[in-house]
């Protein structure tokens, strides 16, 4: 039987050095992390948003105002902030745009919730109010949406998505390219963005960017002696390497004479020659190999007039297969004529200082490529990111056929109607619904601030204008409150819907956390994220139970 002294000894269930934050301390710390992350990227929102420069440990530089890119490059360690990063990535995957919006909105919802907590409103009441507000605001969003998917509207949507991302000098040309690319791969109202390949070429002007009808591969011929172009191409797609099979590292070969060594080398060459003969006998005159091709094999391929490229990316192989009807072969012995694809014209072309292979005149060209030009690597990279955003919003519009007017107009209208709805709800939930409405106004407020305008005056003018017209928004270039529908500032409904849903869900998840247990040092790593507070500035830790005990817990008897 244990004596009394043993019974009074505490039982430690956490490792020594474990950090624990409980109750309001955990909530405040998580809210602070979310607000700080939102403030970090808030200045990038809108046409007048600023860029961020991020430098990694190797000295590589990324300059961008794209929310997904910035958050992906930042070395964030706080768990609550990481949750918001995941929300932004999901937004990027679903619609391709609105990543900054979702984080800024989530940060503002957390801020409004914190204010309610300080005024004595319980977390469960806030969450109930936010749930009611979310349902209502989605209903309002659907009510102010417009049916549209004509080409003119699609071009306006593409231009809106690219505004402020370095594309302004060629906005008309690029929006035409984007819409044309999406319409070429559209299939019964559905768009697979993977069918559109964007290739960057450093050098030249942005306006020189163009769309290619077919597949563009960022590689030239494997050997200069191969033909530069092939008409009436018969295409073989091979996953199998045309190389010698790797031998065991412990294998040894003993030769007693030079003749034996020569016989061994001849057998290896014959093996490669047999592989090439398999390709020739299939009738193929073009080969795209996902693996490597031996130098000897390339010689025999060139000798037989075959255009070959080695180490082709898996994504390019998939596009070629879809466009030409070729079947990817995993064993070269299975390569037969019925597995070949066809294309009218395949050729190599040099653009600036880079060689490309063009696959054109395909029977089913539900795939296309876009060449993005820019004077430097950083500029072409940012243009590529802008085009990817535009591809996402144009695709979403074609699939949903629903759009909303931009320029902060939908947020003001949703906030206005949500406040009216709050007056019909009794109890403290009304406070949370009004707080949700006020949080929505962070978007037009931020657009105004980033344009150097007086945010308070702009919000007052917007609220007044929305008494008579739900399409009034802020023109950040003139500073005036105007009808954004007439200005052609349009966004897909899906972008707004996904941003609001994701921000509200992320906020709810963070607010439900009342206990944070972290491994030693996990919250005290140096943080590269610009603007993220040092752990020393976070709310103080509660007293620990000693030697890794759970702080504040009484000894377990």
């Amino acid at each position: 039987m244990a004596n009394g002294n043993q019974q009074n000894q505490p039982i430690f269930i956490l490792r020594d050095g474990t950090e624990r934050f409980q109750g309001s301390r955990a909530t405040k710390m998580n809210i602070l992390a979310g607000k700080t992350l939102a403030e970090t990227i808030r200045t990038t929102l809108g046409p007048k948003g600023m860029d961020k420069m991020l430098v990694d440990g190797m000295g590589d530089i990324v300059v961008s105002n794209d929310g997904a890119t910035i958050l992906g490059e930042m070395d964030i360690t706080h768990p609550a902030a990481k949750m918001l990063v995941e929300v932004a990535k999901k937004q990027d995957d679903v619609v391709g745009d609105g990543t900054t919006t979702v984080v800024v909105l989530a940060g503002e919802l957390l801020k409004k919730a914190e204010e309610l907590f300080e005024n004595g409103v319980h977390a469960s009441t806030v969450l109930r109010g936010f749930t009611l507000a979310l349902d209502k605001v989605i209903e309002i969003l659907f009510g102010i949406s417009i049916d549209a998917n004509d080409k003119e509207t699609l071009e306006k949507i593409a231009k809106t998505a690219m505004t402020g991302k370095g594309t302004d000098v060629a906005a008309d040309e690029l929006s035409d390219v984007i819409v044309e690319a999406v319409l070429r791969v559209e299939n019964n109202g559905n768009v697979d963005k993977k069918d559109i390949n964007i290739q960057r070429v450093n050098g030249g002007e942005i306006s020189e960017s163009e769309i290619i009808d077919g597949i563009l591969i960022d590689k030239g011929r494997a050997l200069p002696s191969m033909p530069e172009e092939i008409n009436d191409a018969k295409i073989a797609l091979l996953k199998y390497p045309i190389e010698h099979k790797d031998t065991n590292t412990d294998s040894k070969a003993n030769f007693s004479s030079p003749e034996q060594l020569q016989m061994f080398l001849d057998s290896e060459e014959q093996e490669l020659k047999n592989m090439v003969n398999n390709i020739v006998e299939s009738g193929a005159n073009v080969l795209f190999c996902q693996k490597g091709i031996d130098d000897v094999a390339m010689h025999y391929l060139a000798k037989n007039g075959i255009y070959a490229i080695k180490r082709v990316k898996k994504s390019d192989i998939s596009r070629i297969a879809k466009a030409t009807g070729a079947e990817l072969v995993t064993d070269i012995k299975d390569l037969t004529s019925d597995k070949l694809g066809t294309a009218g014209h395949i050729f190599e072309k040099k653009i600036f200082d880079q060689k490309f292979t063009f696959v054109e005149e395909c029977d089913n060209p539900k795939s296309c490529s876009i060449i993005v030009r820019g004077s430097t690597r950083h500029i072409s990279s940012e243009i590529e990111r802008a085009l990817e955003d535009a591809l996402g919003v144009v695709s979403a519009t074609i699939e949903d056929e629903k759009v909303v007017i931009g320029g902060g107009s939908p947020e003001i209208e949703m906030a206005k109607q949500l406040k009216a709805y709050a007056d019909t709800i009794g109890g403290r939930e009304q406070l949370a619904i009004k707080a949700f409405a006020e949080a929505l106004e962070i978007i037009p407020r931020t657009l105004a601030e980033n344009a150097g305008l007086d945010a308070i005056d702009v919000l007052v003018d917007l609220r007044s204008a929305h008494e008579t017209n739900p399409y009034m928004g802020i023109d950040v270039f003139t500073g005036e409150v105007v009808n954004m529908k007439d200005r052609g500032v349009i966004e897909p409904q899906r972008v707004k819907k996904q941003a609001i849903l994701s921000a509200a869900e992320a906020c709810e998840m963070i607010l439900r956390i009342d206990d944070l247990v972290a491994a030693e040092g996990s919250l005290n790593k140096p943080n590269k994220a610009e603007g993220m507070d040092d752990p020393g500035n976070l709310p103080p830790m509660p007293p620990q139970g000693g030697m890794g005990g759970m702080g504040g817990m009484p000894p377990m008897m």
Side-chain angles (χ1 to χ4, degrees):
M1 181 180 293
N3 59 38
N5 290 335
Q6 290 175 321
Q7 290 178 342
N8 291 327
Q9 290 295 320
I11 298 175
F12 303 115
I13 64 174
L14 294 178
R15 189 182 298 276
D16 184 21
T18 300
E19 299 172 295
R20 188 181 188 202
F21 300 84
Q22 292 178 276
S24 62
R25 292 180 185 273
T27 303
K28 287 181 179 180
M29 190 176 79
N30 288 333
I31 289 175
L32 176 58
K35 290 193 304 180
T36 305
L37 183 64
E39 287 296 326
T40 301
I41 67 169
R42 185 181 164 195
T43 57
T44 67
L45 184 67
K48 292 290 187 177
M50 304 298 286
D51 292 349
K52 302 288 182 184
M53 176 181 284
L54 300 124
V55 186
D56 63 17
M58 302 297 293
D60 290 334
I61 299 171
V62 173
V63 179
S64 177
N65 70 357
D66 179 70
T69 302
I70 295 169
L71 294 172
E73 293 291 333
M74 290 165 67
D75 186 12
I76 295 172
T77 59
H78 195 283
K82 281 185 175 180
M83 290 168 64
L84 292 185
V85 173
E86 289 301 318
V87 169
K89 288 181 179 177
K90 188 64 179 176
Q91 175 82 12
D92 191 44
D93 293 338
V94 173
V95 288
D97 196 16
T99 50
T100 302
T101 298
V102 69
V103 175
V104 170
L105 185 55
E108 190 66 13
L109 286 171
L110 290 172
K111 178 182 176 182
K112 294 299 180 182
E114 184 179 36
E115 292 174 359
L116 291 173
F117 294 162
E118 292 173 352
N119 290 327
V121 182
H122 194 271
S124 60
T125 303
V126 173
L127 291 173
R128 282 198 304 271
F130 277 9
T131 300
L132 291 171
L134 178 61
D135 293 340
K136 185 63 179 178
V137 84
I138 296 300
E139 178 187 325
I140 298 169
L141 177 64
F142 288 171
I144 62 176
S145 298
I146 302 172
D147 295 333
N149 69 343
D150 57 279
K151 188 173 181 180
E152 182 182 354
T153 300
L154 295 178
E155 289 176 353
K156 290 178 181 179
I157 287 171
K159 194 179 296 185
T160 300
M162 293 186 293
T163 302
K165 298 179 180 178
T167 62
D168 296 349
V169 294
D172 292 333
E173 294 89 340
L174 292 177
S175 61
D176 289 341
V177 166
I178 289 296
V179 173
E180 183 64 29
V182 174
L183 291 177
R184 287 188 186 186
V185 303
E186 181 264 337
N187 185 20
N188 296 324
N190 296 312
V191 179
D192 187 350
K193 291 183 289 184
K194 293 180 181 178
D195 292 335
I196 302 174
N197 181 29
I198 299 178
Q199 294 284 358
R200 286 179 295 154
V201 177
N202 301 326
E205 298 180 3
I206 298 173
S207 58
E208 294 178 308
S209 301
E210 59 180 324
I211 183 172
I212 304 299
D213 188 10
I215 311 296
L216 183 66
I217 302 170
D218 58 347
K219 292 175 180 288
R221 296 164 293 165
L223 208 64
S225 57
M226 291 177 176
E228 290 187 20
E229 64 176 336
I230 297 288
N231 292 310
D232 191 21
K234 301 293 186 293
I235 303 167
L237 301 182
L238 198 60
K239 194 173 184 180
Y240 192 90
I242 309 179
E243 296 174 329
H244 300 298
K245 292 182 179 179
D246 292 334
T247 57
N248 245 322
T249 53
D250 296 331
S251 299
K252 292 183 179 180
N254 295 317
F255 304 104
S256 57
S257 67
E259 290 77 13
Q260 288 183 339
L261 174 60
Q262 186 60 45
M263 288 177 60
F264 176 76
L265 296 175
D266 290 344
S267 67
E268 284 193 330
E269 183 174 343
Q270 186 61 41
E271 180 186 0
L272 293 172
K273 193 172 183 179
N274 290 339
M275 291 183 186
V276 174
N277 286 337
N278 282 339
I279 297 170
V280 174
E281 289 171 3
S282 71
N285 54 12
V286 176
L287 171 67
F288 296 113
C289 185
Q290 200 171 327
K291 305 291 184 180
I293 302 177
D294 189 273
D295 290 345
V296 175
M298 286 195 291
H299 167 73
Y300 284 118
L301 287 169
K303 194 173 180 181
N304 285 277
I306 295 176
Y307 186 114
I309 303 179
K310 60 181 178 179
R311 305 198 184 284
V312 181
K313 291 182 290 189
K314 184 179 179 181
S315 57
D316 287 334
I317 290 285
S318 177
R319 276 188 283 266
I320 294 169
K322 193 170 184 178
T324 66
E327 183 179 332
L328 180 62
V329 177
T330 55
D331 189 334
I332 197 168
K333 295 178 182 177
D334 297 332
L335 182 62
T336 54
S337 59
D338 61 319
K339 293 182 172 63
L340 302 181
T342 59
H345 191 204
I346 292 179
F347 60 97
E348 180 186 274
K349 181 180 179 181
K350 190 174 184 180
I351 301 177
F352 197 63
D353 61 349
Q354 191 172 347
K355 291 181 179 180
F356 291 92
T357 294
F358 291 73
V359 182
E360 297 183 344
E361 300 176 21
C362 303
D363 292 335
N364 183 33
K366 283 294 182 182
S367 182
C368 63
S369 302
I370 297 174
I371 296 177
V372 175
R373 304 295 297 271
S375 57
T376 67
R377 174 172 61 90
H378 300 301
I379 291 176
S380 62
S381 295
E382 184 67 353
I383 299 301
E384 180 184 11
R385 287 188 283 268
L387 292 183
E388 287 174 348
D389 289 350
L391 283 174
V393 297
V394 172
S395 301
T397 304
I398 288 177
E399 293 173 355
D400 297 344
E401 299 184 349
K402 293 287 186 179
V403 298
V404 294
I405 305 305
S409 168
E411 287 82 9
I412 290 293
E413 185 63 23
M414 287 186 288
K416 169 196 161 188
Q417 295 190 34
L418 194 56
K419 288 175 183 177
Y421 168 72
D423 292 333
T424 67
I425 303 297
R428 294 192 172 190
E429 287 81 2
Q430 180 187 100
L431 299 175
I433 296 173
K434 287 187 175 181
F436 197 108
E438 292 171 1
L440 290 171
E441 293 180 346
I442 189 62
I443 302 303
R445 177 188 291 272
T446 302
L447 292 175
E449 290 177 354
N450 289 349
L453 306 173
D454 189 302
I456 295 176
D457 290 344
V458 168
L459 285 177
V460 170
D461 292 342
L462 281 172
R463 289 169 185 158
S464 176
H466 272 254
E467 293 298 326
T468 56
N469 190 336
Y471 302 132
M472 301 299 284
I474 173 67
D475 185 336
V476 297
F477 298 101
T478 64
E480 299 174 349
V481 172
V482 297
N483 189 325
M484 302 307 286
K485 186 178 181 180
D486 295 340
R487 295 291 175 93
V489 180
I490 306 174
E491 301 178 69
Q493 181 200 81
R494 190 190 297 182
V495 172
K496 294 297 181 185
K497 177 185 173 183
Q498 185 66 32
I500 294 170
L501 286 172
S502 298
E505 289 170 359
C507 176
E508 179 181 356
M509 186 177 296
I510 291 174
L511 294 180
R512 286 187 181 277
I513 299 170
D514 72 343
D515 205 339
L516 174 59
V517 181
E520 182 179 8
S522 62
L523 296 180
N524 295 316
K525 295 176 182 177
N527 204 310
K528 296 179 184 177
E530 178 187 348
M532 287 296 289
D533 284 14
D534 186 274
N537 295 330
L538 294 174
M541 286 175 54
Q544 297 293 314
M547 297 298 292
M550 296 183 72
M553 274 190 75
M556 298 179 65
M557 304 302 288

